[in-house]
């Protein structure tokens, strides 16, 4: 497997840290700042590399940025056991990362699944959280029933989250042609959420596993990544496979069960960054968040699909930087 030249993306090589029983790959800008650092948490199927534009851009605004490959991804350890990926463990990784860095509190910024983790940090590890930034992923109240049962009731057995519960099934589809997988996933949105919802039910793309199998990569449109960026994902996931990341989905029920006594309230200052054209996590998903996140600011990034920090990096950086300076002060450096 070829070595990745991080310097071509303006990045240094990651630091490997022992945290919470695993080895974690961490990119840290070490920017001097009076503000708390921002810990950038990626989603599925992403990497710390997904925050490359923020690792370069946020230091210019005087913000220290830290981006780990989360458990199961990239250069970080990927235990086999499904239960090694529940929210208690994942938030424990982030608390241990702060310990390893000698940091008392940080602002946690998460996209997609990383968003679920950073909201969980606010409620499960509140003593380590100075603030929260959700990118596309809103805070949601604990559902009244097991979320897996809820997904199946609403969307049927073909919904991708239901399919992901079968160990090995989705991995086989994703790993058959990793180049195809990322040409399918990493695309700019070509429809709005309203247009997506207006499609006939049989054509709606909730069953991503079926859409991927039927996808012709030679006809891929709306590419998001450069060839070099695309190759980082392909090389990395060819080496690691997808089991670690998918195991996060296999803990929905466990996470729901162990959250029964956790209050549905985020008391830390928070920012919700919404992407206008995200059909998976549309802006409307954040409606009513103020009931559970009373100290909340919002930013809408127009013309942007699901992969916000990669698709609209300047807008994302500006939203984070302006909010950080507004809420935490500090001196802007260049």
């Amino acid at each position: 497997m070829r070595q990745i030249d991080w310097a071509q993306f303006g990045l240094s090589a990651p630091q490997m840290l022992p945290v919470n029983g695993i080895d974690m790959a961490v990119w840290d800008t070490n920017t001097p700042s009076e503000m708390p650092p921002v810990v950038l948490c990626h989603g599925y199927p992403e990497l710390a590399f997904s925050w490359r534009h923020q690792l370069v851009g946020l230091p210019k605004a005087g913000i220290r940025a830290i981006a780990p490959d989360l458990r199961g991804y990239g250069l970080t350890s990927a235990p086999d056991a499904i239960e090694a990926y529940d929210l208690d463990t994942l938030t424990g990784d982030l608390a241990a990362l702060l310990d390893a860095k000698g940091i008392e509190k940080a602002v946690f910024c998460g996209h997609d699944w990383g968003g679920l983790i950073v909201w969980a940090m606010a409620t499960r590890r509140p003593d380590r959280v100075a603030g929260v930034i959700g990118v596309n992923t809103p805070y949601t109240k604990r559902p009244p029933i097991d979320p897996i049962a809820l997904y199946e009731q609403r969307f049927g057995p073909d919904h991708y989250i239901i399919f992901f519960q079968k160990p090995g099934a989705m991995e086989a589809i994703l790993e058959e042609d990793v180049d195809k997988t990322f040409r399918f996933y990493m695309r700019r949105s070509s429809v709005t959420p309203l247009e997506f919802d207006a499609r006939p039910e049989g054509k709606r793309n909730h069953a991503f596993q079926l859409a991927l199998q039927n996808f012709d990569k030679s006809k891929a449109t709306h590419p998001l990544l450069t060839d070099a960026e695309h190759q980082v994902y392909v090389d990395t996931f060819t080496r690691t496979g997808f089991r670690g990341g998918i195991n996060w989905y296999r803990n929905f029920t466990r996470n729901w069960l162990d959250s029964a006594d956790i209050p549905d309230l985020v008391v830390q200052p928070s920012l919700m960054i919404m992407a206008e054209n995200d059909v998976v996590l549309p802006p409307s998903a954040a409606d009513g968040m103020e009931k559970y996140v009373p100290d909340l600011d919002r930013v809408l990034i127009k013309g942007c699909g699901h992969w916000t920090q990669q698709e609209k990096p300047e807008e994302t950086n500006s939203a984070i930087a302006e909010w950080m300076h507004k809420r935490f002060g500090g001196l802007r450096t260049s």
Side-chain angles (χ1 to χ4, degrees):
M1 188 66 62
R2 79 190 88 188
Q3 292 292 314
I4 296 172
D5 176 17
W6 300 112
Q8 68 179 307
F9 307 108
L11 305 176
S12 58
Q15 180 184 14
M16 298 301 299
L17 294 174
V19 299
N20 203 25
I22 62 171
D23 293 322
M24 177 177 278
V26 181
W27 282 258
D28 185 350
T29 65
N30 287 304
T31 310
S33 180
E34 296 180 0
M35 294 177 286
V38 176
V39 178
L40 302 164
C41 299
H42 66 80
Y44 163 88
E46 294 181 279
L47 301 162
F49 180 70
S50 307
W51 298 102
R52 59 197 174 279
H53 302 294
Q54 288 67 48
L55 288 166
V56 173
L58 292 180
K60 296 176 182 177
I63 297 169
R64 179 182 178 183
I66 301 171
D69 276 343
L70 295 170
R71 177 182 290 248
Y73 285 94
L75 296 169
T76 292
S77 304
D80 288 333
I82 290 173
E83 58 269 21
Y85 296 86
D86 66 6
L87 278 175
D88 267 352
T89 304
L90 294 171
T91 55
D93 290 348
L94 295 177
L97 170 59
L98 295 191
D99 291 340
K101 289 285 184 181
I103 298 168
E104 181 181 357
K105 290 187 177 184
V107 171
F108 287 88
C109 174
H111 170 254
D112 188 78
W113 248 107
L116 288 178
I117 294 172
V118 302
W119 294 119
M121 282 295 294
T123 58
R124 293 171 184 249
R125 313 266 178 170
D127 58 315
R128 310 309 299 270
V129 180
V132 182
I133 303 172
V135 182
N136 299 44
T137 310
Y139 180 83
T140 55
K141 183 181 183 294
R142 183 178 185 268
I145 65 171
D146 180 346
I148 295 301
L150 189 61
Y151 278 117
E152 190 157 14
Q153 284 180 16
R154 292 182 61 188
F155 302 113
D158 290 333
H159 188 273
Y160 73 98
I161 289 178
I162 306 303
F163 187 77
F164 278 17
Q165 302 306 305
K166 307 170 185 178
M170 192 63 191
E171 290 94 323
I173 294 171
L174 294 165
E175 293 165 13
E176 182 178 2
D177 184 342
V178 178
D179 176 75
K180 173 184 173 179
T181 293
F182 280 97
R183 293 191 188 282
F184 170 78
Y185 273 128
M186 295 290 179
R187 292 181 287 165
R188 300 174 188 272
S189 179
S190 59
V191 298
T192 68
L194 286 177
E195 291 168 338
F196 182 81
D197 287 340
R199 291 177 172 180
E201 188 65 29
K203 294 183 180 179
R204 290 180 62 179
N205 225 1
H206 292 302
F208 292 125
Q209 68 279 3
L210 302 178
L212 173 57
Q213 287 177 304
N214 295 325
F215 179 68
D216 182 349
K217 70 178 183 181
S218 69
K219 298 179 181 178
T221 58
H222 309 288
L224 173 66
L225 306 173
T226 67
D227 288 345
E229 291 168 341
H230 173 80
Q231 201 61 46
V232 170
Y233 285 104
V234 172
D235 287 348
T236 299
F237 282 86
T238 297
R239 177 179 60 80
T240 66
F242 290 80
R243 178 180 170 85
I246 296 175
N247 275 345
W248 295 21
Y249 288 90
R250 294 171 181 148
N251 280 278
F252 266 115
T253 297
R254 181 175 289 104
N255 294 333
W256 179 75
L257 288 170
D258 72 20
S259 66
D261 296 326
I262 298 175
D264 275 317
L265 183 66
V266 174
V267 299
Q268 299 87 346
S270 301
L271 171 65
M272 184 65 214
I273 299 176
M274 301 168 292
E276 183 180 35
N277 294 336
D278 186 349
V279 300
V280 178
L281 294 167
S284 61
D287 290 351
M289 268 183 67
E290 287 83 355
K291 182 176 180 180
Y292 308 103
V293 190
D295 189 357
L296 180 67
D297 293 301
R298 295 170 178 258
V299 172
L300 176 67
I301 299 181
K302 294 190 174 182
C304 184
H306 180 68
W307 311 104
T308 307
Q309 74 270 33
Q310 299 182 87
E311 185 173 345
K312 297 284 188 178
E314 292 184 4
E315 292 88 338
T316 304
N317 290 351
S318 292
I320 294 172
E322 289 175 11
W323 183 78
M324 285 291 294
H325 282 275
K326 170 186 170 184
R327 299 312 301 260
F328 297 101
L331 299 175
R332 183 180 297 271
T333 61
S334 58

